[in-house]
């Protein structure tokens, strides 16, 4: 398997930090909106078209009640039939145009929304690949999934639907206010009486909604995280008969999520009907006083009918604004979480003048290397010195937690040394471009990982452009070809999720073939035979012997019998290399290696 993870900064090059803590939790977080609006820029022309349609919708919304008023006052009330057909056609045309403009606007917004949604998720995935392993080691995968799926979805609702609707509703409100004041200031004043009450209700709602919606974003991430963890560990759960305990743990986070959502819904269900009640109260007030004024001849019937239509339309945008308010609360909470993720900086980065690692020989040196995973954790490696000649096979042995895996992680530059230096061909690995360096390395893990897809695609993973003959050659080297040919679909056999349709040994052989196809100069093996039967172990060992020939190999060994012929055996204990030498030499010392041999054999 060739390492080819991007070391770049990804999409965060154009995204600033979230900013001061006081921005978080606000009804309208300017930084969240400003950063997310960047994703709308590629679609600015279509957004402009949607805005133009929105202006047209606003004008038609204001025009149709006025046409009805004209029809009543100038034709119906005086009993004039001449011209009534024309005004009726104009009214019908206005309604049809309103429908077409609304449909066009919604289509454009939906079109843009799906693309922004995809762009946001692509940016997040690109950024996740750029982040160092330290981030992935300490972050629950399900929480990250929730950020990419759930939080991005609510942000998209705000960007493509909420903001445009907000502007449209404000335009409609402003237009209706102007028209109502020009038609009847008295009726307009009656309509506006309820506005202070709406402002008060909105203020009370916002004070409670900020915390409620922030809790829903946090709790749904915990549900997804717990679910992903339990699905991944289902075999262990069932093996230890801990289904009830797992169910209880999931119920705990699920209950928190349920309660958080119910609290948010309860607020919405109090707020939205409250706005609707105030709107209904305004309509009833206008109807009562307006009806009396029509009888008294102070306003015309057409004005009253038009006013009723305008009042209804006046409160529709306000009700829509209340829904946008709810969306905005959720989107602000989700946006804070997404920006916090995008704000994570890779701890392992390339230097501007990163050197390509093409045609390396494969000599490795650890020079007085000390390492800790985080500043607040103890050292796991202390002043380690190690020299590996090009083409040499070196085995790392030692008790669990001794620091063996940390050494190979530093060689692959998943992490940087806290002190000292790791060198490849005499050059500090920090001077190499990460992708170039890892392109010269191959990893064969203890727990073989295969992607969903065909066997052929998995072998070709590190070198997608390889031809089928090269794939078969790598498979033959890795003892894969024989068992694959016996499968009904051969190399096109699809691997199910978790590779459950293949044995552990078959998965490991495919991983070896994947590494062989990339022709790496340095091999890193994390005890590839630890979890297989004796017959499969022989096949794997044969494949590894062929693969390691002429290459530098660093092997973590749990079964000491598999590394007897290594050029150098290093015994790691307590974060230090305490013994080095050949198999027989180390046994003769009767030290740590000898004691391990008595236990493991």
């Amino acid at each position: 398997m060739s390492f080819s993870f991007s070391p770049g900064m990804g999409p965060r090059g154009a995204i600033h930090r979230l900013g001061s803590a006081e921005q978080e939790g606000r009804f309208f977080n300017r930084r969240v909106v400003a950063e997310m609006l960047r994703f709308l820029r590629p679609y600015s022309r279509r957004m402009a078209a949607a805005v133009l349609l929105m202006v047209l919708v606003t004008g038609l919304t204001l025009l149709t009640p006025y046409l009805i008023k004209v029809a009543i006052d100038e034709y119906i009330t005086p009993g004039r039939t001449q011209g009534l057909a024309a005004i009726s056609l104009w009214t019908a045309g206005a309604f049809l145009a309103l429908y077409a403009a609304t449909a066009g606007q919604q289509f454009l917004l939906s079109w843009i929304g799906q693309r922004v949604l995809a762009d946001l998720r692509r940016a997040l995935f690109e950024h996740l690949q750029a982040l160092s392993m330290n981030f992935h080691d300490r972050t629950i995968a399900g929480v990250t999934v929730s950020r990419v799926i759930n939080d991005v979805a609510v942000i998209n609702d705000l960007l493509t639907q909420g903001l445009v609707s907000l502007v449209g509703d404000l335009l409609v409100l402003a237009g209706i206010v102007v028209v109502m004041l020009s038609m009847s200031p008295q009726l307009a004043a009656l309509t506006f009486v309820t506005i202070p009450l709406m402002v008060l209700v909105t203020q009370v709602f916002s004070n409670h909604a900020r915390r409620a919606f922030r809790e829903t974003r946090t709790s749904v991430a915990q549900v997804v995280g717990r679910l992903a963890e339990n699905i991944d560990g289902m075999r262990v759960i069932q093996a230890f008969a801990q289904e009830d305990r797992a169910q209880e743990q999931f119920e705990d986070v699920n209950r928190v999520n349920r309660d958080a959502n119910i609290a948010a819904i309860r607020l919405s269900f109090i707020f939205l009907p409250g706005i609707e009640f105030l709107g209904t109260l305004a309509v009833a007030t206008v109807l009562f006083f307006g009806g009396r004024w029509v009888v008294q001849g102070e306003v015309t019937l057409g004005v009253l009918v038009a006013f009723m239509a305008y009042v209804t339309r006046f409160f529709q945008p306000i009700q829509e604004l209340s829904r946008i308010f709810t969306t905005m609360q959720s989107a602000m909470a989700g946006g804070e979480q997404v920006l916090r993720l995008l704000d994570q900086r890779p701890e392992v980065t390339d230097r501007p003048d990163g050197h390509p690692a093409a045609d390396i020989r494969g000599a490795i040196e650890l020079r007085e290397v000390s390492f800790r995973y985080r500043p607040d954790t103890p050292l796991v490696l202390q002043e380690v010195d190690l020299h590996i000649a090009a083409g040499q096979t070196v085995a790392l042995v030692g008790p669990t937690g001794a620091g063996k895996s940390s050494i190979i992680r530093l060689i692959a530059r998943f992490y940087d040394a806290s002190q000292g230096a790791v060198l490849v061909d005499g050059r500090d690995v920090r001077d190499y471009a990460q992708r170039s360096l890892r392109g010269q390395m191959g990893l064969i893990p203890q727990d073989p990982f295969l992607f969903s897809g065909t066997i052929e695609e998995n072998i070709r993973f590190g070198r997608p452009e390889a031809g089928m003959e090269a794939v078969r050659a790598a498979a033959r080297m890795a003892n894969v070809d024989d068992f694959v040919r016996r499968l009904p679909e051969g190399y096109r056999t699809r691997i199910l999720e978790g590779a459950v349709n293949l044995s552990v040994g078959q998965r490991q052989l495919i991983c070896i073939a994947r590494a062989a196809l990339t022709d790496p100069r340095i091999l890193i093996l994390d005890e590839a035979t630890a979890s297989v039967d004796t017959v499969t172990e022989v096949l794997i060992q044969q494949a590894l012997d062929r693969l390691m020939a002429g290459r530098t190999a660093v092997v973590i060994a749990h079964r000491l019998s598999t590394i007897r012929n290594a050029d150098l055996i290093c015994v790691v204990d307590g974060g230090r290399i305490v013994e080095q030498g050949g198999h027989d030499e180390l046994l003769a010392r009767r030290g740590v290696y000898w004691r391990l041999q008595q236990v493991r054999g």
Side-chain angles (χ1 to χ4, degrees):
M1 173 180 172
S2 175
F3 295 112
S4 58
F5 299 101
S6 170
M9 302 307 290
R12 285 297 291 144
I15 296 178
H16 306 297
R17 295 184 65 83
L18 181 60
S20 55
E22 66 268 14
Q23 283 290 324
E24 296 190 18
R26 286 187 175 180
F27 156 63
F28 185 82
N29 189 319
R30 295 189 308 275
R31 294 183 182 272
V32 170
V33 175
E35 300 293 3
M36 292 298 105
L37 279 176
R38 297 175 187 272
F39 289 91
L40 280 176
R41 285 182 179 175
Y43 312 104
S44 56
R45 290 185 179 181
R46 287 182 171 84
M47 283 298 295
V51 170
L52 289 175
L53 287 173
M54 174 193 67
V55 173
L56 180 59
V57 168
T58 300
L60 292 170
T61 300
L62 298 175
L63 177 62
T64 48
Y66 181 79
L67 290 175
I68 293 173
K69 179 256 183 194
V70 171
I72 293 174
D73 285 347
E74 297 186 16
Y75 297 99
I76 297 174
T77 301
R80 292 171 53 198
T81 58
Q82 186 178 3
L84 184 59
I87 196 68
S88 299
L89 288 175
W90 275 106
T91 305
F95 276 111
L96 287 174
L98 178 60
Y99 166 77
T102 303
Q105 177 188 345
Q106 292 302 317
F107 173 79
L108 279 175
L109 291 178
S110 298
W111 188 93
I112 294 169
Q114 290 305 309
R115 280 154 181 79
V116 170
L117 190 67
D119 291 347
L120 272 167
R121 286 174 177 160
R122 181 170 59 250
L124 276 173
F125 185 73
E126 180 184 350
H127 185 66
L128 286 169
Q129 291 190 99
L131 291 178
S132 306
M133 290 304 299
N134 201 1
F135 170 82
H136 298 289
D137 288 343
R138 68 175 186 263
T139 305
I140 299 173
V143 173
T144 304
V145 170
S146 180
R147 299 286 173 256
V148 176
I149 302 300
N150 299 325
D151 292 335
V152 166
V154 296
I155 293 171
N156 176 68
D157 290 341
L158 173 64
L159 288 180
T160 58
Q161 300 287 341
L163 292 181
V164 174
S165 298
L166 175 64
V167 174
D169 290 338
L170 291 175
L171 284 176
V172 170
L173 277 174
I176 289 177
V177 168
V178 172
V179 173
M180 290 171 69
L181 286 172
S182 64
M183 290 177 61
S184 174
Q186 301 96 323
L187 288 176
L190 289 174
T191 304
F192 302 153
V193 165
T194 58
I195 291 180
L197 292 175
M198 287 187 176
V199 173
L200 178 62
V201 171
T202 301
Q203 182 63 37
V204 172
F205 171 74
S206 64
N207 291 336
H208 294 84
R210 280 193 292 269
R211 179 166 52 88
F213 283 103
R214 197 159 57 247
E215 288 176 356
T216 62
R217 306 316 314 159
T218 301
S219 61
V220 74
Q222 295 299 323
V223 170
V224 176
R226 176 66 67 178
L227 179 63
E229 183 180 53
N230 284 355
I231 291 175
D232 191 46
M234 191 60 68
R235 181 176 291 121
V236 176
I237 291 172
Q238 293 182 354
F240 286 89
Q242 291 299 306
E243 292 90 345
D244 291 342
R245 181 184 177 189
Q247 182 69 31
E248 290 175 3
Q249 292 174 339
F250 182 78
E251 281 297 322
D252 288 340
V253 294
N254 196 34
R255 188 179 303 109
V256 170
N257 176 248
R258 178 202 64 195
D259 293 343
N261 277 279
I262 288 176
I265 291 170
R266 184 184 297 116
L267 287 172
S268 297
F269 282 175
I270 293 174
F271 178 57
L272 294 177
I275 296 295
E276 291 181 4
F277 170 76
L278 292 175
T280 303
L281 180 62
V283 170
T285 302
V286 169
L287 181 61
F288 176 77
F289 288 99
R292 291 170 63 89
W293 292 339
V294 168
V295 172
Q296 296 170 4
E298 296 182 23
V299 296
T300 66
L301 179 61
V303 168
L304 177 61
V305 172
F307 236 90
M308 295 298 296
Y310 281 126
V311 169
T312 302
R313 283 167 171 75
F314 180 78
F315 285 100
Q316 281 179 350
I318 291 179
Q319 292 169 3
E320 181 63 26
L321 286 173
S322 67
R323 283 187 284 270
I324 294 172
F325 185 94
T326 300
T327 299
M328 189 171 292
Q329 290 288 285
S330 185
M332 290 301 109
E336 290 168 3
Q337 299 296 339
V338 169
L339 284 186
R340 190 172 291 112
L341 175 56
L342 286 171
D343 203 40
Q344 292 288 330
R345 314 307 298 173
E347 298 177 23
V348 178
T349 59
D350 282 344
R351 291 174 177 170
D353 57 346
H355 187 77
D359 301 323
I360 64 172
R361 294 179 297 108
I364 300 171
E365 179 184 356
L366 273 70
R367 186 180 295 170
E368 296 183 356
V369 168
S370 295
F371 174 64
R372 52 167 48 92
Y373 282 95
R374 292 193 302 275
D376 58 342
T377 59
L379 288 170
V380 293
L381 294 176
Q382 302 180 54
E383 299 180 350
V384 172
D385 286 298
L386 176 62
H387 298 267
I388 304 174
Q392 193 176 36
T393 297
V394 173
L396 303 177
V397 301
T400 301
K404 305 183 296 296
S405 295
S406 297
I407 290 175
I408 66 172
R409 288 169 182 169
L410 292 177
I411 293 173
R413 213 190 162 206
F414 288 142
Y415 296 85
D416 280 334
S418 304
Q419 298 175 17
V422 179
L423 298 91
V424 171
D425 283 3
R427 184 186 293 271
D428 194 318
V429 293
R430 288 169 287 202
D431 292 335
Y432 288 108
Q434 290 180 69
R435 293 186 66 175
S436 177
L437 177 64
R438 292 171 187 157
Q440 298 293 322
M441 295 183 179
L443 170 68
I444 302 174
Q446 178 180 351
D447 298 318
F449 180 85
L450 300 179
F451 294 91
S452 297
T454 64
I455 292 177
E456 174 188 342
E457 290 168 346
N458 271 273
I459 295 175
R460 195 183 271 133
F461 180 78
R463 190 180 155 202
E465 75 284 357
M468 195 60 211
E469 187 53 43
V471 170
R472 290 195 178 97
R476 286 192 292 270
M477 173 186 282
N479 289 330
V480 169
D481 190 64
D482 288 342
F483 83 80
V484 170
R485 286 181 179 274
R486 293 194 295 269
L487 298 173
E489 297 183 69
Y491 285 90
R492 296 191 175 183
T493 300
R494 296 202 65 82
I495 296 173
L496 303 179
E497 184 177 356
V500 294
N501 55 331
L502 296 175
S503 69
V504 175
Q506 290 172 330
R507 298 176 211 167
Q508 193 62 280
L509 291 172
I510 292 174
C511 287
I512 295 172
R514 182 167 62 193
L517 185 61
T518 64
D519 191 24
R521 299 308 308 152
I522 298 173
L523 279 172
I524 298 175
L525 290 78
D526 188 358
E527 187 50 273
T529 62
S531 304
V532 298
D533 58 81
T534 305
V535 175
T536 307
E537 180 180 350
V538 172
L539 293 175
I540 292 175
Q541 197 60 54
Q542 289 174 350
L544 291 176
D545 290 342
R546 289 193 288 266
L547 183 58
M548 288 189 294
R551 294 183 171 90
T552 304
V554 183
V555 183
I556 292 181
H558 298 284
R559 296 183 185 178
L560 302 186
S561 59
T562 63
I563 47 92
R564 291 175 182 269
N565 298 323
D567 298 311
L568 178 67
I569 299 173
C570 297
V571 182
V572 184
D573 192 17
R576 301 176 184 272
I577 296 179
V578 296
E579 294 178 356
Q580 294 187 53
H583 175 72
D584 294 334
E585 176 188 353
L586 292 176
L587 285 180
R589 293 183 187 177
R590 299 180 70 85
V592 178
Y593 184 77
W594 179 83
R595 289 194 295 274
L596 289 171
Q597 181 73 27
Q598 306 308 305
V599 175
R600 299 182 183 178

